[in-house]
Amino acid sequence: MSYHLYFNGQIAPLDTPLFQSNDLGLLRGYALFDYFRTYNGVPFRWDDYWQRFANSARLLKLPLPLSQAETAAILTELHQLSGQAEVAFRFVLTGGYAPDSVQVVQPNFLIRTEPLPVDNPAGRLQGIKVLPYEYVRDLPEIKSTNYVHMVLMADEMKRQQAADLLFHKKGEISELTRSNVFLFKGDTLITPDRHVLHGITRRTVMELAAPHFEVQVRPVLYDELLHADEAFTTSTTKWVMPIVQVGEHAIGQGGAGKRTLFLQELFDALIAKWGK
Amino acid sequence: MSYHLYFNGQIAPLDTPLFQSNDLGLLRGYALFDYFRTYNGVPFRWDDYWQRFANSARLLKLPLPLSQAETAAILTELHQLSGQAEVAFRFVLTGGYAPDSVQVVQPNFLIRTEPLPVDNPAGRLQGIKVLPYEYVRDLPEIKSTNYVHMVLMADEMKRQQAADLLFHKKGEISELTRSNVFLFKGDTLITPDRHVLHGITRRTVMELAAPHFEVQVRPVLYDELLHADEAFTTSTTKWVMPIVQVGEHAIGQGGAGKRTLFLQELFDALIAKWGK
């Protein structure tokens, strides 16, 4: 039993050399991906992740090589092969092999099974520091593979003991490198509506918060974040993670906020019973 | 005799499956490349291309796996294996395999030998149409693999019988998707100084033009291009290619300009005697 992948109709061990060198994902950055995981052995919000994946593909004009049902059957097979109770799945859809290095002929479709990431339990309790970074993602609604700034800044983040970058541009915040951002002002929960990837965890948290807080989805100023009472980020791997510091500036009291921790509890309760 | 590639110390046929699926070029778009060709069997301005490649690598903080001399020896071997008089070489340097999908451990270095591209001889005489496109490349001095907009717009360009996109932003032009842009206003040759990749053909043309024209390297307004007497683009594969139409707007007299054709002749003469 070990982690395997699916690639254009084949199942193979995870470290198999696969891609020929004229793949448009490799040569031209023309690729999208998605990433999700199981709880209690059941993929979390599979319909939502599939829909987002299909939407990214549509925006990049790439035909989907498989239906949702065909893909689900592959996920089941890969999950069994892994021998693990819980796994993460990474989809990658590239522009495929291009004789002229430009035109899409036939996409390459990869599904990787991966071990669950380490979840930074300390960060979840104490909160994380992020570095402000002037940037806005290109084509933000596409979960493209363009993460150049994240990789470029990895060493600097380590040096400054920061967990991530906070993207802002023209005084407006958008997201972290791989996760969405929320802030609390009193009992109002606020999250940017534009220049963001529509995270599934973001949506889940908004649904969980709706009965308890006023939820505003609108442009958010960088300045609002600095003066927020609480802030947090959401993603498939981070769940609800408090943000307590932006550069050298502390948010609110400088610790995980009580409303943030309340949402974290609601989220934890949801996944604890997922699939049951 | 056939086209081969070099990959991390190995020589292999061009269509060999090579890349494992956790390459940072593939998963995170963290990769750079370069592209050059031979004339009379001798790589054109090899020192300049190597220097640009090394500069891109430095800016992406990727160590070069080989020295220039080691690389030159591989080029010679690949050229011989091709059995062709003339070849093009494509370098690709990626962030390599990343266990955590984020941190660079060891770059992957690929050198592909490729057939010479078809040179659009009709375009060189009659000139090409380009579509204006509001965009500026991220980290433009790095020859990164991010060409999403070019691939995304490939069908639309065909539909509009355009050969390329012209990037402009905030009223300023920068470059085409893979080539630099120049314009003539009278006997003054003007090309943008910022938000551009520093093309080797661009530099060659500026050197060739210097004895004959005033050369200005400075920010260039989109409006200046529209009212230019002549315009052209330069690249490794396009040489000096007249631009005669931007969207539905004709440049100058709407045909290849006489100064442009003069520079084209100078360039043709240079490459005709290259290496001799």
Side-chain angles (χ1 to χ4, degrees):
Chain A
M1 310 292 265
S2 65
Y3 293 103
H4 280 65
L5 54 78
Y6 165 93
F7 186 63
N8 296 340
Q10 307 276 324
I11 301 280
L14 205 55
D15 59 356
T16 308
L18 293 175
F19 282 84
Q20 294 178 30
S21 63
N22 65 340
D23 179 83
L24 283 177
L26 203 59
L27 293 188
R28 301 300 191 181
Y30 206 77
L32 59 97
F33 77 113
D34 222 304
Y35 181 89
F36 56 101
R37 54 161 291 173
T38 61
Y39 292 105
N40 305 311
V42 180
F44 185 62
R45 297 190 73 146
W46 160 236
D47 284 350
D48 290 340
Y49 280 100
W50 175 262
Q51 203 167 56
R52 182 172 70 181
F53 176 67
N55 188 53
S56 290
R58 186 181 56 78
L59 292 172
L60 276 190
K61 301 180 185 169
L62 295 179
L64 289 176
L66 298 177
S67 69
Q68 185 178 357
E70 288 166 335
T71 308
I74 293 165
L75 297 185
T76 302
E77 184 178 352
L78 289 173
H79 193 172
Q80 284 168 354
L81 281 170
S82 77
Q84 304 291 319
E86 311 287 348
V87 289
F89 295 109
R90 186 185 298 271
F91 287 3
V92 182
L93 186 68
T94 80
Y97 302 134
D100 68 351
S101 319
V102 177
Q103 299 260 355
V104 173
V105 178
Q106 163 117 33
N108 283 323
F109 186 27
L110 165 75
I111 305 175
R112 286 168 53 88
T113 333
E114 299 182 358
L116 291 184
V118 180
D119 281 322
N120 192 0
R124 212 165 276 174
L125 290 174
Q126 298 160 20
I128 59 168
K129 173 184 176 180
V130 299
L131 299 183
Y133 194 78
E134 195 171 349
Y135 179 68
V136 64
R137 280 203 310 125
D138 187 33
L139 306 170
E141 286 186 36
I142 300 173
K143 200 166 168 74
S144 82
T145 52
N146 183 355
Y147 287 78
V148 168
H149 291 270
M150 174 185 80
V151 181
L152 196 58
M153 290 292 288
D155 285 344
E156 183 62 18
M157 286 189 252
K158 262 194 181 166
R159 205 182 63 77
Q160 295 203 37
Q161 297 180 293
D164 214 333
L165 304 176
L166 168 77
F167 294 148
H168 65 96
K169 185 115 183 180
K170 295 181 186 166
E172 206 177 309
I173 60 170
S174 53
E175 53 195 2
L176 275 56
T177 62
R178 289 156 294 171
S179 60
N180 292 113
V181 62
F182 287 81
L183 61 88
F184 271 114
K185 192 72 184 177
D187 281 336
T188 305
L189 180 63
I190 309 168
T191 193
D193 64 340
R194 57 185 185 184
H195 311 308
V196 303
L197 184 81
H198 294 282
I200 309 302
T201 310
R202 172 179 178 267
R203 189 189 308 175
T204 305
V205 165
M206 288 195 287
E207 290 168 7
L208 292 171
H212 306 282
F213 304 103
E214 184 194 336
V215 181
Q216 295 182 356
V217 184
R218 58 165 175 81
V220 180
L221 299 178
Y222 182 39
D223 217 47
E224 288 183 90
L225 175 67
L226 295 181
H227 296 98
D229 296 316
E230 305 181 19
F232 63 90
T233 186
T234 59
S235 84
T236 299
T237 60
K238 294 182 179 71
W239 305 355
V240 175
M241 179 89 75
I243 298 171
V244 297
Q245 210 180 321
V246 176
E248 295 314 307
H249 179 95
I251 302 292
Q253 304 303 313
K258 63 180 182 190
R259 298 174 191 84
T260 301
L261 293 174
F262 172 68
L263 288 179
Q264 204 178 72
E265 278 170 31
L266 294 181
F267 191 85
D268 289 359
L270 176 73
I271 58 180
K273 65 173 197 279
W274 187 259
K276 288 186 175 171
Chain B
M1 308 291 265
S2 64
Y3 294 103
H4 280 65
L5 55 78
Y6 165 94
F7 186 64
N8 295 341
Q10 307 275 323
I11 302 282
L14 206 55
D15 58 357
T16 308
L18 294 174
F19 282 85
Q20 295 178 30
S21 64
N22 65 341
D23 179 84
L24 283 176
L26 203 59
L27 293 189
R28 300 301 190 180
Y30 206 77
L32 60 99
F33 77 113
D34 222 304
Y35 181 89
F36 55 101
R37 53 161 291 173
T38 62
Y39 293 106
N40 305 310
V42 179
F44 185 62
R45 297 189 72 147
W46 160 235
D47 284 351
D48 289 340
Y49 281 100
W50 175 263
Q51 203 166 56
R52 183 173 69 180
F53 176 67
N55 188 52
S56 290
R58 187 181 56 78
L59 292 172
L60 276 190
K61 300 180 185 169
L62 295 179
L64 289 175
L66 297 177
S67 69
Q68 184 178 358
E70 288 165 335
T71 307
I74 294 165
L75 298 186
T76 302
E77 184 178 352
L78 289 173
H79 193 173
Q80 284 168 354
L81 281 169
S82 77
Q84 304 291 319
E86 311 288 347
V87 289
F89 295 108
R90 186 185 298 271
F91 287 2
V92 182
L93 185 68
T94 80
Y97 304 133
D100 67 352
S101 320
V102 176
Q103 299 260 355
V104 174
V105 178
Q106 164 118 32
N108 283 322
F109 186 28
L110 165 76
I111 305 175
R112 285 169 55 88
T113 332
E114 299 182 359
L116 291 184
V118 180
D119 280 323
N120 191 0
R124 211 164 278 173
L125 290 173
Q126 296 161 21
I128 58 168
K129 173 184 176 181
V130 299
L131 300 183
Y133 194 80
E134 195 172 348
Y135 179 68
V136 64
R137 280 202 309 124
D138 186 32
L139 306 170
E141 287 186 35
I142 300 173
K143 200 166 169 72
S144 82
T145 52
N146 183 355
Y147 287 79
V148 168
H149 291 269
M150 174 186 79
V151 181
L152 196 58
M153 290 291 289
D155 285 344
E156 183 63 18
M157 285 190 252
K158 263 195 179 165
R159 204 182 64 76
Q160 296 203 35
Q161 296 180 293
D164 214 333
L165 304 176
L166 168 77
F167 294 148
H168 64 95
K169 185 114 185 184
K170 295 181 186 164
E172 206 176 309
I173 59 170
S174 53
E175 53 193 2
L176 275 56
T177 62
R178 289 156 293 171
S179 60
N180 292 112
V181 61
F182 287 82
L183 61 88
F184 271 114
K185 192 71 185 177
D187 281 335
T188 305
L189 180 64
I190 309 168
T191 194
D193 64 339
R194 57 183 184 185
H195 310 309
V196 303
L197 185 80
H198 294 281
I200 309 302
T201 310
R202 172 178 178 267
R203 189 189 309 174
T204 305
V205 165
M206 288 196 287
E207 290 168 7
L208 291 171
H212 307 283
F213 304 104
E214 185 194 335
V215 181
Q216 295 182 357
V217 184
R218 58 166 174 80
V220 180
L221 299 178
Y222 181 39
D223 217 47
E224 288 182 272
L225 174 67
L226 295 181
H227 297 98
D229 297 316
E230 304 180 21
F232 63 90
T233 187
T234 58
S235 83
T236 299
T237 60
K238 295 182 179 71
W239 305 353
V240 175
M241 179 89 75
I243 298 172
V244 297
Q245 211 181 320
V246 177
E248 295 315 307
H249 179 95
I251 301 292
Q253 305 301 312
K258 64 180 181 189
R259 297 174 191 84
T260 301
L261 293 174
F262 172 68
L263 288 179
Q264 204 177 72
E265 278 170 31
L266 294 182
F267 191 84
D268 290 358
L270 176 73
I271 58 178
K273 64 174 199 276
W274 187 259
K276 287 185 174 169

